[in-house]
Amino acid sequence: MKHTEDNGIQEKPKFTIEDDNSGASSQEILEEPIITIESSDDTEYTSSLAFIKKRSRLRKWGMGIIWLVAAMTIVFGCYGAIRLYNYYYNIGVSISVSPEDNIKKLESMQAQNGSSEVVLKTDSVLGVALDIYELHNVRAELSLVEPDTADHSVLMYTRTADYTSTGKYIGSLVVDGKEKQSDASRLGYCAIEKGNVVVGISRFDDMREHMIEHDGSYFRQFVLVSNGELPQRFSLHGKVERKALARTADDRLCVIATRHPETLWDFADALREYGYVDAIYLTGGNESGFYRAPDGTPYFTEKAAKYRTDKHHSVAPPWLVLSKR
């Protein structure tokens, strides 16, 4: 090994490798290994592309979910609106008088000229025999106490709303401004204020709320006829004596009872055929009722007389009482 100096610069050492096979000496310079380190720019670029694609997919999924939720909200909103419309408006029959119009009618009613009386007529239509009690200038009230028939001012009374064996009234019931039950499942209603009475058909509770605010009385029952139309179906079946509170086209009110057992459909059809535009059901049939003729003679049906002796009521039945003004 030799060391030379040239201008103060030291040469790198050279190594001599002898080839044993040839016996000759040769000089080879071993170069330093070159290590290549790859740049991370490509990896970062690939990662960035993957991240962008992933974020794009997430954005698409997110937008899809948002559109799905929006579509479901619209569908359920429309479904709810249709259900609400059908519940309050599309009740299967048309309405002749709105609750607002009936409220105005109650406020404008005045006592009529002439005597107060209930006039009984008998007739038959579509094979259904009817007892028709025409109400003339009477004063109406709803009472939880059965009237005293010794009171000659009482012209007629009959049961109205139903109640269960457990003592719960069925349908809305308001007596002198005090609410006993609130249930709009039955579409027919009767409202009484200051002795005046109206009947109507509606799902809305405007009239009930008005009666509570003005110390009036109110009950709901099944609709039999509305604006001259029959409902699509009836909840009560079988044949029994039936009774209804009905209104004519010229706004006269009548209580109508069958003289024989009838289906509710046949009874309602007879009321429509006879010319009543609105009619609601009254429970009890001939089992409840009192009538005083214009000459002062009191009448009970045979079943009503028997009913008076049976006082085992779980709750007080609401009575529609019609008296002299």
Side-chain angles (χ1 to χ4, degrees):
M1 183 181 296
K2 299 179 181 179
H3 294 276
T4 60
E5 292 185 3
D6 186 9
N7 298 328
I9 298 176
Q10 184 178 359
E11 291 184 355
K12 293 182 180 180
K14 297 182 180 180
F15 297 89
T16 301
I17 300 175
E18 296 182 355
D19 189 350
D20 294 335
N21 295 326
S22 59
S25 297
S26 64
Q27 292 183 343
E28 294 183 1
I29 300 176
L30 297 179
E31 297 181 354
E32 293 181 351
I34 299 174
I35 301 175
T36 303
I37 300 177
E38 294 183 355
S39 173
S40 62
D41 291 346
D42 293 340
T43 305
E44 291 178 357
Y45 178 73
T46 305
S47 300
S48 298
L49 286 179
F51 176 75
I52 292 172
K53 291 180 179 180
K54 183 177 181 181
R55 187 169 60 180
S56 177
R57 285 196 300 268
L58 290 175
R59 184 181 294 112
K60 290 181 180 178
W61 275 103
M63 291 300 298
I65 292 174
I66 291 174
W67 278 108
L68 179 61
V69 171
M72 291 178 64
T73 301
I74 294 173
V75 170
F76 283 110
C78 293
Y79 176 74
I82 293 172
R83 286 289 301 271
L84 192 65
Y85 174 82
N86 288 335
Y87 183 78
Y88 282 104
Y89 294 97
N90 188 22
I91 57 178
V93 289
S94 60
I95 305 299
S96 60
V97 183
S98 68
E100 292 80 7
D101 290 337
N102 263 338
I103 290 174
K104 294 178 181 178
K105 187 188 299 184
L106 280 173
E107 294 174 345
S108 63
M109 279 183 176
Q110 297 179 353
Q112 303 171 355
N113 296 326
S115 60
S116 298
E117 59 184 9
V118 177
V119 179
L120 172 61
K121 293 171 52 178
T122 59
D123 209 336
S124 179
V125 59
L126 299 178
V128 179
L130 301 174
D131 288 334
I132 302 170
Y133 299 88
E134 296 181 343
L135 312 181
H136 298 279
N137 197 30
V138 297
R139 184 182 187 278
E141 66 176 312
L142 204 60
S143 174
L144 297 179
V145 178
E146 187 172 0
D148 184 0
T149 56
D151 182 357
H152 285 260
S153 67
V154 177
L155 300 177
M156 184 178 188
Y157 66 83
T158 186
R159 282 171 55 191
T160 56
D162 290 307
Y163 53 88
T164 66
S165 59
T166 59
K168 180 180 179 181
Y169 294 110
I170 303 176
S172 296
L173 178 64
V174 178
V175 180
D176 296 331
K178 298 179 180 179
E179 186 174 66
K180 305 295 183 180
Q181 179 66 24
S182 177
D183 178 10
S185 59
R186 297 186 176 185
L187 300 179
Y189 68 85
C190 170
I192 303 170
E193 183 180 359
K194 298 178 181 179
N196 302 317
V197 57
V198 294
V199 295
I201 315 298
S202 177
R203 179 81 72 183
F204 291 100
D205 275 335
D206 303 44
M207 184 63 79
R208 177 184 62 83
E209 294 170 358
H210 181 83
M211 292 298 106
I212 294 174
E213 294 174 359
H214 293 79
D215 297 329
S217 297
Y218 172 90
F219 70 89
R220 278 191 178 273
Q221 260 295 358
F222 293 114
V223 54
L224 301 180
V225 183
S226 178
N227 198 28
E229 301 175 6
L230 299 185
Q232 297 177 356
R233 62 180 183 274
F234 293 95
S235 299
L236 303 179
H237 306 284
K239 285 189 174 185
V240 297
E241 289 84 359
R242 307 291 187 179
K243 187 178 287 187
L245 177 62
R247 184 181 72 87
T248 63
D250 57 355
D251 237 15
R252 291 181 292 108
L253 291 180
C254 302
V255 174
I256 305 101
T258 64
R259 291 201 297 272
H260 309 292
E262 304 287 351
T263 66
L264 204 57
W265 173 272
D266 289 338
F267 180 43
D269 197 27
L271 294 176
R272 177 182 61 173
E273 183 68 20
Y274 204 78
Y276 294 105
V277 293
D278 291 323
I280 65 172
Y281 188 69
L282 295 176
T283 190
N286 286 332
E287 293 182 358
S288 69
F290 167 81
Y291 159 67
R292 191 183 304 277
D295 63 2
T297 304
Y299 290 95
F300 282 101
T301 64
E302 181 180 351
K303 288 186 176 182
K306 179 180 181 299
Y307 179 83
R308 282 169 54 82
T309 64
D310 182 10
K311 298 297 182 180
H312 301 291
H313 306 306
S314 57
V315 295
W319 302 91
L320 174 62
V321 184
L322 304 169
S323 308
K324 294 180 181 179
R325 285 189 180 270

